[in-house]
Amino acid sequence: MSVFAKCFVLILLPIALGSPMNNLRSILTFRGPANPINKQDSSFVWASVGDSWAAGVSYSPTQHTDYDDDKNGCHRWNNSYGPLMERNTTWTTGVQTFNFAACSGAILSNIVASPQGDNPPQMGLVGSPQMITYHAGGNNCGFGAVVSDCIYQPWGDYGAEYPDPSGQCAKQLADRNTYIDKAGDGGLYQDELNTVADLLGHSAVKDNKDFRLYILGYAHFFNIGANYCDDISFGVLANVPAVGNAPKVSNRLRTDLNDGVERVNQILARVANDVGDPRVKFLDISPAFNGHRFCEDNHNYKDQWYNEDVWLWNFNTPADDPPADPALMDAWLDGNHFPDNTTLPNYPNGTKVGVEMQGGVETDGSGGSTGPGPTWFQRPFHPKQGGTQAIADIVISQAIADRIPGVVGSSPPTTGTCDCDESGCTPESPACCATGTC
């Protein structure tokens, strides 16, 4: 099964407890060689780890959407929330050093333990950060399988429409829900908890008391409620004879997919709490997408593909959003022709929509790539710039509220002194200042 299919399930199944935004405080700490803040305290070092919701899906070399010339095939997008934060110079007191480690197609083991093709384990790329954003787990849940089998249904017989249990969509959802809901080893909760614990134990951050880890959830994809979407399909490939299907985006389907996202986010919020480290917070990004999801009441059919007010990509050509030439919109939605007049069936099978949605490459399940594909095929159900800007704003606001050293409004970390003087421990003692007590 393609990772596109696998990744879409997680996206469809994950989201939303409110992020804890209160009880914020600044923490003083001694900094020695084992606990650096940054060389000479001259820059704010931070990093982004995770999958393509963190990396983005860069989709057009001609439009220069790559962040790093597609280094290691990670498809890092220059308008993902990390680069947007990097270009914003108002939220840190000095120069930023941003380490963009996130990689499209990553699974949880790629965060700390294992390389992903040519990309090393991501925690080996973060430097000595004061802050890390963590956006991961979608590929483990198989987000792409749900999108492929329930929304687009390209190239094949998918059986009865949802919620008929005999159809491929219902079977796919049931299969992915089993992983998401499973307790103990082999389930999403335990896999996320182990990954976050390993990250916190990594030498880059384990002794840094001022460090903050922000675990980000995923956004609900759909507006809920009976409306025009009940009678439309996102399966534009159905317009190509003998190629695709046209499953309806019914309110029942939208509701159940959003519910899956909600449950994934609840797990991520539990992990943030259960890992037992006050440096960790869960940030719920979904409410920021209110009014900007698929199937909003004030939008129409064509808006689902080409409207900047919809903050999620659909399966459409890599034209501007909306296209500079409106005729391109009609050609795609009604005639399935690309802007260069190449018809969809002329593309080789290896570049179908079924190619991993989150990574832009087919994967073998371990995160390693098995073949390339045009990345605009893999960007559906990822945030557009309106969405990534909203995520950036959420992270920046939390970093300011947490008074992370190096962020505007914070106090600089104490160097060479600390606030504990228990017997047998001096203010200069790293053993004292590492935990606040001896």
Side-chain angles (χ1 to χ4, degrees), residues 104-411:
S104 293
I107 58 178
L108 290 172
S109 63
N110 300 137
I111 305 301
V112 180
S114 305
Q116 177 191 354
D118 293 333
N119 202 54
Q122 293 180 23
M123 282 301 292
L125 303 174
V126 300
S128 297
Q130 286 295 93
M131 179 183 84
I132 290 178
T133 60
Y134 172 103
H135 217 161
N139 285 316
N140 292 71
C141 293
F143 279 16
V146 172
V147 169
S148 181
D149 289 356
C150 294
I151 302 297
Y152 297 121
Q153 295 191 352
W155 293 278
D157 181 6
Y158 291 78
E161 283 199 39
Y162 190 79
D164 190 313
S166 68
Q168 181 60 26
C169 174
K171 292 177 181 178
Q172 188 63 255
L173 276 173
D175 182 53
R176 301 306 170 177
N177 283 337
T178 298
Y179 172 69
I180 290 170
D181 296 336
K182 182 177 181 180
D185 291 343
L188 176 63
Y189 170 79
Q190 194 63 49
D191 287 348
E192 292 278 10
L193 185 65
N194 292 344
T195 302
V196 171
D198 289 346
L199 184 157
L200 294 169
H202 193 278
S203 59
V205 301
K206 69 176 182 178
D207 293 326
N208 185 349
K209 189 176 177 182
D210 290 328
F211 168 73
R212 291 291 183 272
L213 175 66
Y214 296 136
I215 298 176
L216 277 60
Y218 295 88
H220 293 182
F221 303 119
F222 297 102
N223 174 50
I224 300 302
N227 65 13
Y228 61 93
C229 267
D230 291 336
D231 298 316
I232 70 170
S233 175
F234 288 2
V236 294
L237 302 184
N239 295 326
V240 180
V243 173
N245 302 282
K248 295 293 190 296
V249 192
S250 68
N251 188 47
R252 172 67 184 275
L253 177 60
R254 286 179 275 140
T255 299
D256 289 352
L257 294 183
N258 277 8
D259 176 68
V261 172
E262 180 71 23
R263 288 172 20 248
V264 171
N265 282 0
Q266 290 176 3
I267 287 173
L268 292 170
R270 284 177 54 204
V271 167
N273 178 73
D274 294 352
V275 75
D277 191 320
R279 301 177 299 172
V280 181
K281 282 187 171 73
F282 170 74
L283 303 185
D284 184 7
I285 67 169
S286 191
F289 282 68
N290 288 345
H292 303 284
R293 310 179 200 276
F294 291 127
C295 298
E296 297 288 356
D297 291 337
N298 62 322
H299 292 158
N300 60 35
Y301 174 74
K302 290 184 178 180
D303 289 336
Q304 309 311 303
W305 286 266
Y306 296 105
N307 185 334
E308 291 179 343
D309 195 46
V310 177
W311 286 356
L312 296 160
W313 290 107
N314 207 330
F315 179 48
N316 55 280
T317 65
D320 294 334
D321 182 29
D325 180 359
L328 295 178
M329 181 192 309
D330 293 332
W332 172 246
L333 296 179
D334 300 332
N336 287 287
H337 284 71
F338 292 84
D340 61 2
N341 293 319
T342 301
T343 60
L344 186 62
N346 290 340
Y347 275 76
N349 287 342
T351 59
K352 292 178 183 178
V353 67
V355 175
E356 199 239 326
M357 179 198 69
Q358 288 221 144
V361 293
E362 184 75 21
T363 77
D364 58 13
S366 68
S369 65
T370 61
T375 52
W376 68 267
F377 269 61
Q378 290 84 53
R379 70 184 181 184
F381 285 73
H382 289 81
K384 299 179 184 178
Q385 188 170 346
T388 58
Q389 184 62 64
I391 298 170
D393 292 343
I394 290 169
V395 176
I396 289 173
S397 294
Q398 189 65 60
I400 292 173
D402 282 347
R403 299 177 61 84
I404 304 174
V407 173
V408 169
S410 65
S411 300

Side-chain angles (χ1 to χ4, degrees), residues 83-118:
L84 292 178
M85 292 169 63
E86 181 187 25
R87 296 198 294 270
N88 182 345
T89 61
T90 66
W91 65 284
T92 57
T93 58
V95 175
Q96 296 179 44
T97 298
F98 172 52
N99 295 312
F100 201 2
C103 189
S104 293
I107 58 178
L108 290 172
S109 63
N110 300 137
I111 305 301
V112 180
S114 305
Q116 177 191 354
D118 293 333

